[in-house]
Each structure stands twice: as structure tokens, then as C-alpha cells.
Amino acid sequence: MKTFGFRWVVIGLIAVATVINYIDRNALAVMWPEISKEIGASKEDYALLVTVFMIFYAIGQAAFGRLFDKIGARMGFVVSIALWSAAIALHAAARSILTFSLVRALLGFSEAGAWPGAAKANAEWFPSRERALAQGIFNSGASIGAIVSAPLIALLFVGLGWQATFLLVGGLGALWLIPWLWLYRAGPDRHPWVSAAEREHILSDPQVPAAAAEYAPPVGELLKLRQSWAIILGRFFLDPIWWLFVSWLPIYLAETFGFDIKQIGLFAWFPFVGAMIGSLFGGWLSGALIRKGWSVGRARKAAILFGGAVMLPALLATTQAADPTTAVVVIAVILFGFQVAIGNIQSLPADYFSGKSVGTLAGVSGMAAVAGVLATTWLVPVMTEISYAPIFILAAALVPLSIVAVIGLGGRVERLSAPGSKTTMEHSR
């Protein structure tokens, strides 16, 4: 069975894995108002669990980035998803902050593999002009997961209770492994279902000069390059905005508007519709600009600037939201802009480096993103004693810092060559 579009099957299946990833990680946040009453936990305890998750998520980003570069996307995803499915099921046995911390640690470590894995698969399966759209499809899986998780988890909780809900969602990842192992048999250079025309389309990228095609610097060398630091710092400043709403939106709705779990299920999904649209639009936008003759660099930067221009005023507007409908609509705009920007930032590792080091850089930048999230997580309980306006203002201040880091440090967007060699790419600014 030969096909020209098999690469879209691959990224679509990875997007489904991301849907499952977000259902699993969001389950605790949606059910926390009731779980916290049962185990006698506080808002500070929840911040502790977020911190534990993020610390091990950071460790997992770096570990899985290296693992995917060593064993490949096929088995890398198997390891990651098998572990996180077991971890979320084990939440059913937790009865204290200590045991919840242990299972959140395992979940954070294993779920982190999805992002460097997707970046690596994207670099291997897509030419540069399609890469941001592929990244957007993958990122849209996170948004779809966030959309369906709140009503799904609320429905399961009402019918089954929280322990059975954790067990049930733990089986989703195991089911996903069946089509993955059947369909993802090899990379595009050797896969039996990839046509000769598609293989040529993927592997003969006109944006990548031959001198740079195989440059895959190790971690130490990556960290000496300003292009790497553009991505690392860009994500350090920007990712906390996403995680602010992923981790705290149900708590924000409960504290600000007095919502119970059923009401959270009715409202908390809507902002992620904006995120899903932003994921797809951001990928389409840079690809469309490239097809019109823009360089990869100009297209990526234009999309990142556009995303920032949407996020900044919307974050400030959230401080004035007086009712839940207004709040979730404005947050949807924020997450739309975020996904437009982040999808193009996450495409940059493959624009700069060979696929053999993309997973590593994606993992390192993901670890930096987690560091930024941790720096803000413990500020939330302190800054939201009266209202959430101060934390939204802080998030707004992070937007220009991220854009300056990406554009100021990144410079010319082109595939880099080993020291001493010279690329042939021009007009990539």
C-alpha cells in the first residue's frame, strides 16, 4: 500500500496521543475541588502537586529528548505512553498529598516525551514549508484534549467517582499503542507505505543545503549557539502563559465565580477552542507565507509577532472580566495567540539543525519552559489572594520578553552547518 500522504497519518496519530496526554494531565485539576475535600488538601497543596509534576516534566523533557534521538520516534513514543498510562491509572490508589505527589512525578516525567518526540517526527517527516502546519496539527491535539477533558472528566466523575475515572482514562494510552505500532513501521526513508514521490517530497527539502543536512551538534555544542538560546529563552518566558490556564483555569473558575465541578465542565473547555484554532492557523500562516515567496525566517517571525500581538492586550483585558462568559472568551483569544506563536517557535529546532539533534534541543528548551513555569507556579497562590488580575498582568509582561529573545538572539533562520563549513542558503532573515 503506497500513498503520497502518509506523513499526515503519522502526525495525525501523534496529535491523537496529545489529546490523550491532556485528558490524563487535566483530570486531577478538574476533579480537585472534590478530591481536595476528601483528602483534606489546600490550594497550597495543589500548587505543590503542580510543582512536582513540572519538576519531573522538566527532567523528562531532557531525558526523552536524548532517548528519542537514540531509539527513534517509534519506540520512544511506546516507552513514553506506556509509562504515562500506568501513571494516571495509579492516581486511583492515591490517598494523600504524598502519594499524589509520587504518581504526579511519574506522570510528569513520562508525559514530557510527547513534545520532543513530536518535534523529532516532524523534522523527519516534513519539509520546512510544511513543518509549522504539522506542528500546529500536533499542538491542536493538546487543545482538543483540553477541550474534551473538562466535560468528559466531569461526566465520568459524576457517574463513576474519581478513582474509577483515573482507571478508565489510563486505558486510553494502551489503546493508542495498537495503531501506532502497526502504522509507524519505519522512518520516511524506509517505510514500505511511503510512495517514491512522497519520499522525494520529504527528503529533498530545497530550504536545506547539502552542507548542513547532517549537522547534529551534541548538547554541549548546542548550548554554545545563540540560536539554541533563542529557543530556550523564548520558551522559558512564553510557556508559563499556557500552563497558567492549563493548571489553574478550573481553580480560577471555582474561586472567582463559585463554580462546582459540573459548571467547570460546562465552561473550562471553551478557551481551548481558541487554542486549537490558533494551532492550525499559526501553522497555516507561516506555510502560506513561504508558498508566497517569503523565506522561512521571515514567515516564522511574522507568525510569532502576530501571536504576541494577540496575546498581550487579551491578557490585560482578562483583568477586567466581570463574568465567566467574558472571562472564557478572552482567555480563548489569549490561547489562540499563544498557539500561533508557540507552534512556530517549536518548529525552529528543525529549521536550524538536523533531525538527529532536534529531539535533544526540543527537550532542553522544554526543560527551560518548565523552569519558567515553576518560577510562576508558586506566585499564583500569593498573587491571587484578592483577585487573579496580578498574575494576568505578570503573564502579559512575559510576552515581549519571549519575542525579543526569539527574534533578537535567533538572527537568520537557516539550517546551520558544522564549524568551518558554509551554508548556501540566502535571504532567510
Side-chain angles (χ1 to χ4, degrees):
M1 181 179 72
K2 300 283 188 179
T3 175
F4 183 75
F6 192 77
R7 64 195 183 280
W8 300 108
V9 175
V10 171
I11 202 66
L13 195 54
I14 294 173
V16 173
T18 318
V19 174
I20 298 170
N21 185 295
Y22 264 75
I23 291 173
D24 289 358
R25 78 173 59 180
N26 285 354
L28 180 65
V30 174
M31 295 187 289
W32 182 251
E34 293 300 325
I35 293 174
S36 62
K37 294 175 185 176
E38 186 169 327
I39 67 173
S42 66
K43 188 175 179 181
E44 286 71 22
D45 290 326
Y46 180 75
L48 173 64
L49 294 178
V50 172
T51 301
V52 168
F53 179 93
M54 296 308 301
I55 288 173
F56 282 87
Y57 191 81
I59 297 169
Q61 288 271 352
F64 275 101
R66 294 291 293 166
L67 182 68
F68 272 90
D69 281 339
K70 287 186 176 296
I71 69 174
R74 185 176 192 262
M75 293 310 299
F77 271 108
V78 170
V79 173
S80 176
I81 293 182
L83 280 176
W84 98 49
S85 298
I88 193 63
L90 286 171
H91 280 56
R95 293 295 183 274
S96 67
I97 292 300
L98 175 60
T99 51
F100 269 111
S101 296
L102 293 174
V103 292
R104 293 308 281 181
L106 179 58
L107 184 69
F109 177 82
S110 52
E111 283 203 334
W115 270 256
K120 182 173 181 62
N122 190 355
E124 292 178 348
W125 282 88
F126 291 89
S128 56
R129 62 185 176 276
E130 294 177 346
R131 201 167 289 141
L133 178 57
Q135 188 70 37
I137 292 172
F138 162 70
N139 282 342
S140 73
S143 304
I144 294 170
I147 290 168
V148 302
S149 63
L152 174 63
I153 297 301
L155 179 65
L156 292 174
F157 171 83
V158 170
L160 302 172
W162 63 268
Q163 292 97 338
T165 298
F166 281 128
L167 288 172
L168 191 60
V169 298
L172 296 176
L175 291 175
W176 181 90
L177 289 172
I178 297 171
W180 175 256
L181 288 170
W182 179 56
L183 290 168
Y184 199 118
R185 303 186 177 194
D189 56 333
R190 295 180 293 108
H191 200 291
W193 296 349
V194 174
S195 67
E198 183 174 22
R199 186 172 290 112
E200 176 70 14
H201 175 80
I202 294 168
L203 300 179
S204 299
D205 191 341
Q207 298 284 347
V208 180
E214 294 303 318
Y215 178 45
V219 176
E221 191 173 332
L222 277 173
L223 294 179
K224 294 178 182 177
L225 298 168
R226 63 186 176 88
Q227 291 88 351
S228 298
W229 282 101
I231 300 166
I232 290 168
L233 290 176
R235 294 201 59 191
F236 173 83
F237 290 121
L238 199 63
D239 275 58
I241 297 171
W242 172 257
W243 283 95
L244 174 64
F245 296 105
V246 168
S247 298
W248 293 96
L249 180 59
I251 316 300
Y252 162 71
L253 292 173
E255 292 189 347
T256 305
F257 303 110
F259 277 16
D260 59 21
I261 289 182
K262 291 181 182 179
Q263 290 169 308
I264 289 171
L266 288 172
F267 277 78
W269 61 273
F270 185 78
F272 297 96
V273 174
M276 179 186 67
I277 296 170
S279 297
L280 298 174
F281 177 78
W284 171 85
L285 176 61
S286 61
L289 293 175
I290 292 169
R291 288 191 294 273
K292 287 184 180 240
W294 288 42
S295 68
V296 172
R298 285 184 64 206
R300 296 275 191 266
K301 291 172 183 177
I304 292 166
L305 283 168
F306 175 79
V310 171
M311 271 186 286
L312 182 55
L315 278 162
L316 295 176
T318 308
T319 65
Q320 303 300 315
D323 61 85
T325 301
T326 301
V328 296
V329 169
V330 176
I331 293 170
V333 174
I334 295 167
L335 297 186
F336 169 87
F338 175 87
Q339 288 293 348
V340 170
I342 199 67
N344 283 275
I345 293 173
Q346 290 173 333
S347 298
L348 290 173
D351 293 331
Y352 287 127
F353 301 105
S354 160
K356 295 178 181 178
S357 62
V358 165
T360 299
L361 180 55
V364 171
S365 61
M367 187 168 62
V370 174
V373 174
L374 289 174
T376 58
T377 292
W378 281 96
L379 292 175
V380 175
V382 176
M383 297 179 70
T384 59
E385 289 185 357
I386 299 175
S387 80
Y388 277 73
I391 200 70
F392 293 146
I393 293 171
L394 174 64
L398 297 176
V399 175
L401 293 175
S402 175
I403 292 174
V404 168
V406 171
I407 295 178
L409 285 175
R412 183 187 295 268
V413 178
E414 62 186 3
R415 184 66 67 86
L416 301 177
S417 299
S421 64
K422 185 178 180 180
T423 69
T424 59
M425 289 186 67
E426 299 293 341
H427 310 301
S428 296
R429 288 192 181 280

